[in-house]
Amino acid sequence: MGILLVEDEPNIASVIKRGLTENGFDVSIASNGVNGLQMALNNNFDLIILDIMLPLMDGVQVCKNIRQHNKTVPIIMLTALDSTENIVNGLDSGADDYLAKPFKIAELAARLRTLLRRSGLENPGGTIFTINNLKVDTESKIAYQDHEPLKLTATEYRLLEYFIRNQKKVLSRIQILESVWDIDFNMGTNVVDVYVNYLRKKLEKNGSPKVIHTVFGMGYMMKEGDEDTK
């Protein structure tokens, strides 16, 4: 599940990300309220974790702004100030839950699973992702283009699902290796480029628009549009 963590303390953010990753979550980090709001509005996260005390824009304001555009994404607030006023302000701004610092990662992960269960997202297997004329059903493990199933190998499908779950994110080759192959290849290998080329050929076979773009010097990104990024 894609989680956005908005936390300005690098050490805390690192601990939370590591702990949640070990619990099966995919965590992106924003270090201030303005960047957190931009990331929340420009990406499809399954859940958002907001610290209340943030630079540039506090968590309450970020939450209110998110709720103007997205009424359903689960939001949990983190607060070092375990007072009734702070908790009420957080919940009144549109948050679904709160957790006072310090806390154990196991408790945070349990809270996240509860929120995802309420929203019907705890089991990512039932998710359908789309971009342009492409649809990926992660329950049936079938990809469709113009409503016709694509003939993909198991590796090609895993690569496609990883891309479509992380649309508009720059994905490095090492990230793709670790997530799709689940092992750390020697960085000299070109296995990622080879499989991206295989997948591109199948996706663009009948003149369909390009969705996997090269970000030169960094990796790849799935997005709408025609041009690679320099």
Side-chain angles (χ1 to χ4, degrees):
M1 307 303 294
I3 305 290
L4 172 62
L5 169 63
V6 190
E7 168 60 64
D8 63 311
E9 292 289 341
N11 291 339
I12 295 176
S14 177
V15 170
I16 293 175
K17 178 173 182 176
R18 184 170 62 250
L20 292 182
T21 300
E22 291 172 355
N23 278 269
F25 296 100
D26 181 16
V27 182
S28 300
I29 297 176
S31 60
N32 64 66
V34 171
N35 287 345
L37 178 59
Q38 291 174 340
M39 290 177 66
L41 298 183
N42 293 332
N43 298 275
N44 296 316
F45 291 104
D46 298 303
L47 190 145
I48 297 172
I49 304 170
L50 274 177
D51 189 19
I52 286 184
M53 304 297 291
L54 292 169
L56 303 185
M57 181 185 295
D58 66 49
V60 171
Q61 291 301 315
V62 174
C63 188
K64 287 180 177 178
N65 278 278
I66 292 172
R67 283 293 179 240
Q68 291 177 4
H69 301 274
N70 189 329
K71 305 292 186 185
T72 60
V73 62
I75 298 175
I76 184 169
M77 304 288 280
L78 304 180
T79 174
L81 305 173
D82 189 13
S83 69
T84 301
E85 181 181 0
N86 278 280
I87 293 168
V88 169
N89 285 340
L91 296 176
D92 283 349
S93 70
D96 299 281
D97 198 1
Y98 74 92
L99 190 58
K101 297 178 180 179
F103 54 81
K104 295 184 181 298
I105 292 297
E107 181 181 2
L108 176 59
R111 295 285 190 98
L112 301 188
R113 286 192 291 269
T114 297
L115 289 176
L116 292 169
R117 207 160 40 237
R118 290 177 189 168
S119 63
L121 291 174
E122 185 184 36
N123 179 5
T127 303
I128 294 177
F129 295 91
T130 62
I131 182 171
N132 287 342
N133 63 341
L134 177 66
K135 180 176 75 172
V136 176
D137 185 332
T138 62
E139 181 174 18
S140 64
K141 303 296 183 185
I142 298 175
Y144 300 86
Q145 203 165 48
D146 292 324
H147 307 292
E148 292 293 327
L150 288 169
K151 294 182 179 179
L152 302 175
T153 66
T155 301
E156 290 168 347
Y157 172 82
R158 290 197 305 271
L159 179 61
L160 176 59
E161 182 176 320
Y162 183 63
F163 272 125
I164 207 164
R165 284 184 180 274
N166 293 279
Q167 293 179 50
K168 299 182 181 179
K169 296 180 184 178
V170 177
L171 304 173
S172 68
R173 288 170 175 81
I174 189 64
Q175 284 178 299
I176 296 171
L177 283 170
E178 292 175 349
S179 299
V180 176
W181 280 265
D182 198 29
I183 56 176
D184 184 7
F185 276 88
N186 184 307
M187 281 304 293
T189 183
N190 66 342
V191 64
V192 170
D193 304 290
V194 169
Y195 271 89
V196 166
N197 187 48
Y198 290 159
L199 187 56
R200 276 176 166 167
K201 286 182 177 179
K202 291 187 177 181
L203 296 180
E204 300 168 22
K205 183 177 181 180
N206 297 315
S208 293
K210 184 176 183 178
V211 292
I212 300 176
H213 301 265
T214 301
V215 183
F216 293 100
M218 298 181 71
Y220 296 98
M221 177 190 292
M222 174 169 274
K223 64 174 184 176
E224 297 180 9
D226 297 324
E227 299 297 327
D228 290 333
T229 303
K230 294 183 179 181

